[in-house]
Amino acid sequence: MAMTEYDQKVYDSGYKYIPRSEFLLSPFKIPVPETKDSSSGIPSLIPRNSGGSGALQAGNINYNDFARAGFDAYANRQPTPLVDDLYQSKLDKTFMGFPSYQTGQLTGADMGEYIGSGTDIPLELTTAGKLQNIAGNITGGIQNLANKAGGFGPISAILSKMDRFNTLPELDQQFIKQSMGYKGPTVFGENTGGNYVDPFGVNVRSALGNYAEKVKDDYSSLEKSLTGRLSEKYGVQFNPETGMFENPDDIEAAEKANKMTNMMRQKYIFRQQQLKQQAFNETIAEKKAKEIERIKNLGKRGYDPAVHGETNYGQGSDGQQSYSGDSIGAGNLGFGVGATTGGPVSNRTGRGRTDYMDGGLASIL
């Protein structure tokens, strides 16, 4: 499918891993030199070092920048088998901080032959690499490896504490992966640990936590405080759409409330946008599931000319309604096509003919 004019403009601007607009909750906005949008009260600055302390200020926090970094990194992390199998890629691979591969243990003569011919020295898996392969081949990853290693005493104890990420709900895992792109400073100062964090210092990817749930909990707590206790304290009303306090009858009170809760409100706005992304992920997942189910059920329904074509060739050996050639762009074949087998189906007997893979004449298996 061709890109829209705007999506092409985004791509040409250097943002090559941003999903197309049709897959985003709201269109991606190409950054412009403008530093602040004062009309909405919501800052539009890229998170960066601010001040001598290195800590982010409220005006430096913007969800779109955080999300863009996460989506770029998420796209870059998608499987790339041809690259992963490269010699240097293997040498760069690690597991728990240890190299996954090492050069083979060769004698001096053999080593000299490889070097002299300019051939890469064969690589072999290290102990860490072997553990990595085992974990990757077990459904559930490290957590299930820990369960299977239950009889190994200290080993199982270590493994069970390593990582529970694969046990989280699939959509939570997706959201966390989409958020793993920012390693910059936080409201507490420089990110000396180098982990993926959000601007508020929360680790996005942790072994035992669930960042998706943390976002929901934060939002609920902030909403309760902003709409309740703090609104009463300053004699104002909190507008969840703008993220600001209001009081038409007492402008000064509203200004004071907004000033005193600046960081809290920015965090509320940030978490609100994250919840919208989670809801968007859920919507896409539901649509995908429904489409898969629809495709599965197409052949189960009775004959429908609009779906199965002009000629009713009956059901195939799979018990599902077959399709005539015109419905799949193949013209008049003189027989139907099985919904799941792809084999020929005829209604000469009124029951449907046996498909290729179930004993038909064309079967060679």
Side-chain angles (χ1 to χ4, degrees):
M1 183 182 296
M3 288 187 182
T4 64
E5 182 178 351
Y6 184 73
D7 286 338
Q8 185 64 54
K9 184 177 180 181
V10 171
Y11 185 88
D12 293 340
S13 297
Y15 301 98
K16 302 184 184 301
Y17 299 105
I18 297 297
R20 295 181 182 180
S21 298
E22 62 182 305
F23 300 116
L24 295 176
L25 186 62
S26 57
F28 170 75
K29 295 181 180 179
I30 301 174
V32 294
E34 184 68 29
T35 59
K36 187 174 184 180
D37 176 8
S38 58
S39 61
S40 66
I42 300 175
S44 53
L45 292 174
I46 298 175
R48 63 177 184 271
N49 191 329
S50 176
S53 65
L56 288 178
Q57 304 302 308
N60 298 120
I61 299 170
N62 176 260
Y63 173 72
N64 286 337
D65 299 321
F66 174 83
R68 183 175 66 249
F71 271 103
D72 281 350
Y74 179 65
N76 286 328
R77 283 193 293 266
Q78 299 310 300
T80 52
L82 294 179
V83 175
D84 294 339
D85 284 338
L86 295 178
Y87 191 83
Q88 189 59 47
S89 295
K90 289 183 177 181
L91 283 176
D92 293 338
K93 197 172 184 180
T94 62
F95 183 63
M96 298 175 62
F98 298 97
S100 301
Y101 287 88
Q102 63 183 6
T103 54
Q105 303 301 309
L106 304 176
T107 64
D110 290 336
M111 181 76 74
E113 185 174 335
Y114 276 103
I115 295 175
S117 63
T119 304
D120 289 331
I121 299 172
L123 299 178
E124 58 185 29
L125 284 169
T126 62
T127 300
K130 292 176 182 177
L131 283 174
Q132 186 175 34
N133 280 355
I134 294 173
N137 290 330
I138 296 176
T139 303
I142 290 177
Q143 180 59 35
N144 279 2
L145 174 60
N147 295 337
K148 292 178 181 291
F152 293 97
I155 295 179
S156 62
I158 294 173
L159 289 175
S160 65
K161 295 179 180 179
M162 282 165 48
D163 199 347
R164 300 183 185 277
F165 180 76
N166 289 326
T167 67
L168 302 181
E170 185 175 348
L171 283 174
D172 286 357
Q173 292 185 41
Q174 178 183 340
F175 174 73
I176 292 170
K177 290 176 181 178
Q178 291 171 340
S179 303
M180 291 167 54
Y182 182 69
K183 292 185 177 182
T186 73
V187 295
F188 300 108
E190 295 294 337
N191 176 20
T192 56
N195 300 323
Y196 290 114
V197 295
D198 66 23
F200 305 98
V202 179
N203 282 329
V204 172
R205 174 68 164 85
S206 61
L208 303 178
N210 183 343
Y211 182 67
E213 285 295 331
K214 170 64 175 173
V215 167
K216 295 175 183 177
D217 291 343
D218 273 2
Y219 179 80
S220 295
S221 177
L222 289 165
E223 183 178 47
K224 183 178 180 180
S225 294
L226 291 167
T227 59
R229 176 178 60 85
L230 293 172
S231 290
E232 294 177 4
K233 177 180 179 180
Y234 294 105
V236 292
Q237 298 82 42
F238 183 71
N239 185 334
E241 295 299 321
T242 63
M244 300 185 73
F245 287 107
E246 301 171 352
N247 186 341
D249 300 324
D250 193 341
I251 303 300
E252 290 186 1
E255 290 179 347
K256 180 179 180 181
N258 286 321
K259 180 178 179 180
M260 299 302 293
T261 61
N262 197 13
M263 181 63 76
M264 179 182 287
R265 290 185 302 101
Q266 300 313 320
K267 187 175 183 179
Y268 171 86
I269 294 168
F270 194 93
R271 295 292 187 235
Q272 185 182 62
Q273 293 300 312
Q274 289 183 300
L275 288 187
K276 288 180 179 180
Q277 182 61 53
Q278 290 189 37
F280 181 72
N281 289 347
E282 291 176 7
T283 299
I284 295 300
E286 289 173 1
K287 287 182 178 180
K288 182 179 179 181
K290 288 180 180 179
E291 181 64 14
I292 292 174
E293 189 64 23
R294 183 188 70 81
I295 293 173
K296 286 182 178 179
N297 291 331
L298 278 178
K300 295 181 181 179
R301 70 173 87 175
Y303 171 66
D304 181 350
V307 176
H308 303 104
E310 296 180 359
T311 305
N312 181 4
Y313 287 100
Q315 296 180 347
S317 60
D318 57 4
Q320 298 191 29
Q321 177 63 42
S322 63
Y323 295 80
S324 62
D326 58 282
S327 70
I328 59 174
N332 183 12
L333 298 174
F335 55 84
V337 178
T340 60
T341 65
V345 179
S346 170
N347 66 349
R348 293 175 183 174
T349 65
R351 295 181 293 103
R353 196 175 75 182
T354 302
D355 299 20
Y356 284 135
M357 299 304 292
D358 292 288
L361 294 177
S363 176
I364 61 174
L365 299 180

